[in-house]
Structures are given as C-alpha cells and as structure tokens.
Amino acid sequence: MVRIVFPHLRGLRTETRIEYQHWRTISDRGQRAVLEWSKDPDPDTLERKLAEHLALSEPQVPPHLRPRNMAAEEALGSAATVLPAFLQDTAPSVSPARQVNNNNIFMKLPLEIRNMMYQYCVFYPPAKELYHAYYSQQRPRGNGKRTSGVQRSTPTIYLLCKQITREALYMLQRRVFVIDRIPPWLMGHSNPLAICNFIHGDTLQNVRYLELRVAFGEGDYGSGDVWLSLVIDILSTLAPRNSIIELKVLIKIHRVDIRHVWTRELVYYELLLQQLEDWEHKHGNRPCTVQFEHWVIDDPYAYRTGFRNPLIRRHPDPLLWPGSIMECL
C-alpha cells in the first residue's frame, strides 16, 4: 500500500500526518455511505440508518445531566474526594429525638426518593448559561466602566443544611461538567476571558468528570489557537489540585479538506495534545485520565473516527454539538 504524504504536512510529526490522512479517509467513507443511503428507493432508509448510528454513538441525554459509571471512582478511592471538613463528618448534626420532631417533610422521605429529586436540580450549568449570565450582568459602574467577570453565587440547595448539602454534593460529583464554548471575547482583547471569571477555581478543582469539546477548522483562519489558549487556562487551574477521574476531550474537526487551514490547525492540534499529555503525566490521579473522541464534521453530518466504517449522525445536534466558536466572536 502506498501512503500519500501531503507536502504541507512535512513539518509535523509522523503520527499527526497519519491521523490527518485518517480523518480525510473517514470523511470520504462517511460521504459515500450517506450517498448510498440516499439512493435507496425506500425514502426511510437514510433516517433509519442515522437512527441506528445514533443509538451506537451517545445516549440521548445532555452531557451535564448524564450520570457516570462510578467503578473508576471506587478504584481510585477517597483520594479524589475533596470536600470541606464540616461536610465530611457523617455523624448526625442533631440528636435523634430532635430529628423525629423535625417538621422538615423532605428529610423524612427515604434517601432513594431524595436522590430522585436531586436528579432534577443538582447539575453543573451548561457553559452557554454561564456566559449568558455574564452578558446579563454587564451594566456600567459609576465610572462608566464595565466589569470583566460575572457575579458568582452558590445555589440555594447547597446552603440549606449539612445533610442536604452533603447529599446534593454527592450527586453533583457524579455529573459531567461540559465546556463546549469559548468564554466571551471582549473587543480589542487578544484572547477570551479566563474561565475562572465564570466558575471559581476551587469549584473546577473539585470536578470529577470534565468534558472539553474542542473545535478545529472553524472560521476562515481556523479555531485551534483560541481553543488551545482556553484548554491551557483550564489545565493551569487544575494543576495545583484536582479531583479529575475522567477528562474527556471531544475534538470536532471541521473542513478537513481545506489545506491552507489545516496547515495551521495541525500545529495547534499537536500543541494541544502535548499540553494534555504533560498535564496527565504531572497531575493526573490515575493512568488514562484523559480520553479522546474525534468527530469529522461535514455539514449536515458528522463522522466519528476510530472505526473502519464511521458512526454517522446529523450536525448540528443540540445535545452533542450545542456550541460554536463563531457564536462568541
């Protein structure tokens, strides 16, 4: 088999060149598959095939509401548990006699029922919601200047009592915090605002399941440099202390056939991988903390790599593809 080497990739690592060629191959196979399904006399063939691939790719639940498999956390032990000291005390805060006379109906419910209720109100806010809060709070101060961050507050459910806080945090730690958009980008600045303007550093360091959805190839000049700066910002916040059990990096690959864009983007792609590898080696709590998933975007479809015949789903999708760098520029 003769391997094609594109001239514009000669300055990159061999692994990167092979991976780029794999993305192009996946794009071609995906396009051919969609074309064949579209030619079928049965008009429902395309939708049926897409539904089959959709069932194989991801559960149809928003990522920030998706519970995680706790086997990895149990194997890791208590090293990843970072809670305030007063919440780690499992002893009841009041005497049994006082608990019986307590008029709090919620606490009289079985724990299983309370956990079902927490499912509806305990989760990390989507990135879009965090950033919208910033815009809604941008009112000029007395000197006419605007603030550069967002006013952060603790949700009420974590302020009610020790027991509710402990139970709610237990549920929150099984959620996935998803960052799928870049923070707001102020006019005249070379980079978007730091992530800690929107989520406190201590909160980010207590996240156990983090998912970054990084986009390459968006815009006329690509988007890798912007996402690289955001990922570096996040990793630097997690470097001093973190509780990460799984850091999933979902990479969206746009317009893979445009050479002048990817000559530049692949450089940032290599830098991104290097940053993640270094962080995992120095600060990861266990091996294989960082997990990757690649999707080649070819509107109106997306093809997942890693398979001989790619998984195919529609793009955009409000669950898997909720954000774009172009929405924040």
Side-chain angles (χ1 to χ4, degrees), residues 233-254:
D233 179 26
I234 295 171
L235 296 181
S236 63
T237 303
L238 295 174
R241 177 178 65 86
N242 73 86
S243 306
I244 295 294
I245 294 176
E246 179 181 291
L247 172 54
K248 182 178 179 180
V249 184
L250 189 151
I251 298 177
K252 299 185 290 182
I253 305 157
H254 294 258

Side-chain angles (χ1 to χ4, degrees), residues 202-312:
D202 289 342
T203 302
L204 191 58
Q205 290 171 352
N206 287 333
V207 171
R208 297 188 180 186
Y209 299 98
L210 178 62
E211 186 167 321
L212 307 178
R213 300 188 166 188
V214 181
F216 285 88
E218 289 188 309
D220 294 336
Y221 302 98
S223 52
D225 56 338
V226 180
W227 280 104
L228 175 63
S229 65
L230 175 59
V231 171
I232 291 176
D233 179 26
I234 295 171
L235 296 181
S236 63
T237 303
L238 295 174
R241 177 178 65 86
N242 73 86
S243 306
I244 295 294
I245 294 176
E246 179 181 291
L247 172 54
K248 182 178 179 180
V249 184
L250 189 151
I251 298 177
K252 299 185 290 182
I253 305 157
H254 294 258
R255 305 191 302 171
V256 71
D257 58 328
I258 302 180
R259 291 191 178 186
H260 75 272
V261 170
W262 279 95
T263 300
R264 183 172 182 264
E265 289 292 84
L266 287 173
V267 174
Y268 293 112
Y269 177 72
E270 283 192 346
L271 292 174
L272 176 75
L273 295 186
Q274 188 61 53
Q275 290 289 333
L276 290 166
E277 290 172 2
D278 291 345
W279 179 87
E280 182 180 41
H281 176 71
K282 296 177 182 178
H283 308 290
N285 292 315
R286 64 188 184 93
C288 301
T289 301
V290 180
Q291 302 289 330
F292 291 95
E293 184 175 315
H294 295 73
W295 288 81
V296 178
I297 309 300
D298 179 32
D299 290 324
Y301 302 102
Y303 314 122
R304 183 175 176 179
T305 68
F307 305 88
R308 179 174 179 81
N309 296 311
L311 293 178
I312 305 173

Side-chain angles (χ1 to χ4, degrees), residues 92-122:
S93 56
V94 295
S95 64
R98 185 175 178 181
Q99 284 184 334
V100 172
N101 296 326
N102 194 342
N103 292 324
N104 189 336
I105 299 177
F106 178 76
M107 298 309 299
K108 294 180 180 179
L109 296 172
L111 178 60
E112 293 79 2
I113 302 299
R114 297 203 301 271
N115 284 339
M116 293 174 63
M117 294 182 176
Y118 292 139
Q119 292 282 351
Y120 292 95
C121 58
V122 176

Side-chain angles (χ1 to χ4, degrees), residues 121-125 152-160 165 168 172 203:
C121 58
V122 176
F123 54 86
Y124 294 107
R152 295 168 298 202
S153 60
T154 302
T156 305
I157 192 171
Y158 304 116
L159 302 174
L160 298 177
T165 301
L172 180 67
T203 302

Side-chain angles (χ1 to χ4, degrees), residues 37 46-54 301 312 314:
W37 299 341
L46 177 60
E47 293 301 326
R48 186 176 66 254
K49 290 290 186 179
L50 289 174
E52 293 173 357
H53 283 237
L54 185 63
Y301 302 102
I312 305 173
R314 291 196 182 277

Side-chain angles (χ1 to χ4, degrees), residues 153-208:
S153 60
T154 302
T156 305
I157 192 171
Y158 304 116
L159 302 174
L160 298 177
C161 69
K162 286 185 180 180
Q163 184 172 351
I164 292 180
T165 301
R166 183 163 51 243
E167 293 174 356
L169 284 177
Y170 180 85
M171 188 66 62
L172 180 67
Q173 289 170 345
R174 282 139 184 81
R175 299 295 198 187
V176 184
F177 180 43
V178 181
I179 300 179
D180 54 22
R181 301 168 184 260
I182 61 168
W185 198 329
L186 300 183
M187 185 177 297
H189 289 239
S190 58
N191 291 306
L193 294 174
I195 194 66
C196 286
N197 284 306
F198 306 93
I199 178 170
H200 197 278
D202 289 342
T203 302
L204 191 58
Q205 290 171 352
N206 287 333
V207 171
R208 297 188 180 186

Side-chain angles (χ1 to χ4, degrees), residues 129-153:
E129 184 177 315
L130 288 176
Y131 303 157
H132 278 190
Y134 165 80
Y135 289 112
S136 65
Q137 296 179 17
Q138 289 307 289
R139 298 182 177 88
R141 296 177 297 185
N143 56 7
K145 296 182 179 180
R146 296 177 182 269
T147 59
S148 60
V150 63
Q151 182 178 354
R152 295 168 298 202
S153 60

